[in-house]
Amino acid sequence: AQSVAQPEDQVNVAEGNPLTVKCTYSVSGNPYLFWYVQYPNRGLQFLLKYITGDNLVKGSYGFEAEFNKSQTSFHLKKPSALVSDSALYFCAVRDTMEYGNKLVFGAGTILRVKS
Amino acid sequence: EAQVTQNPRYLITVTGKKLTVTCSQNMNHEYMSWYRQDPGLGLRQIYYSMNVEVTDKGDVPEGYKVSRKEKRNFPLILESPSPNQTSLYFCASSFTGARDRPSPLHFGNGTRLTVT
């Protein structure tokens, strides 16, 4: 069965500094990997996904993520954080061997960007 | 506007009183799913539907029912709610659930349910 770990409950960063939100995963087969963001009182919004190919994936709002197969990681990054990036971030994995579009989510990481 | 619409946004009820949370999508998506979100646990899948009249259990299906009579609608039914079903519920849809076609999920804005 697949699983996702987000080791940090919260990440604090100053505006303008680079940010990283960590994610590691476990699957039986090959992974499809996703990042979602959740703002207060809203549903989750899709940021980016890794399916295959280039290990560096670019997504919405200037975010990118790097897939590392040997470390089973898919960390979310942004070169320069904005206060408006403050939100709850979820990493999710789907096992290519699994039936249906079932995503398994991590517990989430709160990102706080201070001005 | 492409969206997943859930109703109601907030619901307070008592133990044992049957309730339904509605979900509708206007994107002609084949795949729909229900998740519950609890602090420290992330989102866990309750039920999913690959297409009309095709539903299956997710990881935490106990105490819930679903139906998929039409492509756009996927209601979540709690026949006899209990306090441990107090949670934030999300409906989601995607173009397909096919194994080799990973489609991002589109989420509704959530339904916060409190069972006393």
Side-chain angles (χ1 to χ4, degrees):
Chain A
Q2 61 263 46
S3 65
V4 173
Q6 293 182 239
E8 301 152 318
D9 291 336
Q10 183 166 319
V11 170
N12 297 310
V13 64
E15 188 174 32
N17 283 0
L19 69 87
T20 299
V21 183
K22 296 179 180 177
C23 171
T24 59
Y25 67 90
S26 174
V27 294
S28 301
N30 291 316
Y32 296 138
L33 293 155
F34 302 82
W35 275 101
Y36 286 83
V37 59
Q38 185 180 31
Y39 297 101
N41 298 315
R42 300 297 301 273
L44 280 70
Q45 297 177 30
F46 168 73
L47 277 180
L48 51 81
K49 65 181 179 182
Y50 171 82
I51 305 302
T52 187
D54 194 347
N55 289 342
L56 185 63
V57 178
K58 294 188 184 298
S60 306
Y61 313 120
F63 284 94
E64 57 189 30
E66 187 167 12
F67 171 65
N68 187 316
K69 188 172 184 178
S70 63
Q71 297 185 3
T72 61
S73 66
F74 190 57
H75 301 331
L76 181 70
K77 300 181 180 183
K78 188 173 183 181
S80 178
L82 300 173
V83 172
S84 57
D85 292 330
S86 298
L88 179 58
Y89 289 80
F90 289 99
C91 180
V93 67
R94 177 184 161 188
D95 192 330
T96 59
M97 302 300 290
E98 286 278 332
Y99 177 74
N101 195 13
K102 174 186 172 182
L103 295 189
V104 173
F105 288 82
T109 299
I110 297 170
L111 173 66
R112 295 202 191 281
V113 181
K114 296 184 178 179
S115 58
Chain B
E1 179 188 354
Q3 58 186 359
V4 178
T5 303
Q6 293 178 232
N7 282 297
R9 289 293 309 273
Y10 301 92
L11 180 58
I12 301 174
T13 190
V14 296
T15 300
K17 186 175 182 182
K18 181 179 178 180
L19 66 91
T20 300
V21 183
T22 64
C23 174
S24 181
Q25 51 92 5
N26 63 0
M27 296 169 280
N28 201 35
H29 283 171
E30 287 184 351
Y31 181 90
M32 298 186 74
S33 182
W34 277 100
Y35 285 83
R36 60 179 287 174
Q37 182 181 8
D38 300 291
L41 296 177
L43 282 80
R44 293 177 292 167
Q45 191 183 54
I46 303 170
Y47 267 94
Y48 67 95
S49 170
M50 294 289 282
N51 214 324
V52 176
E53 300 291 2
V54 181
T55 64
D56 210 342
K57 296 178 180 178
D59 292 324
V60 288
E62 294 78 19
Y64 304 95
K65 286 176 56 178
V66 294
S67 68
R68 187 93 182 271
K69 296 189 172 75
E70 305 163 286
K71 197 171 188 178
R72 64 184 294 126
N73 295 324
F74 190 47
L76 179 69
I77 303 156
L78 285 71
E79 294 270 3
S80 183
S82 62
N84 65 12
Q85 293 178 297
T86 293
S87 188
L88 180 57
Y89 291 87
F90 287 101
C91 180
S93 71
S94 65
F95 176 70
T96 178
R99 184 177 297 170
D100 58 346
R101 299 178 68 185
S103 306
L105 287 172
H106 298 257
F107 284 83
N109 282 335
T111 296
R112 187 167 293 280
L113 172 65
T114 302
V115 183
T116 60

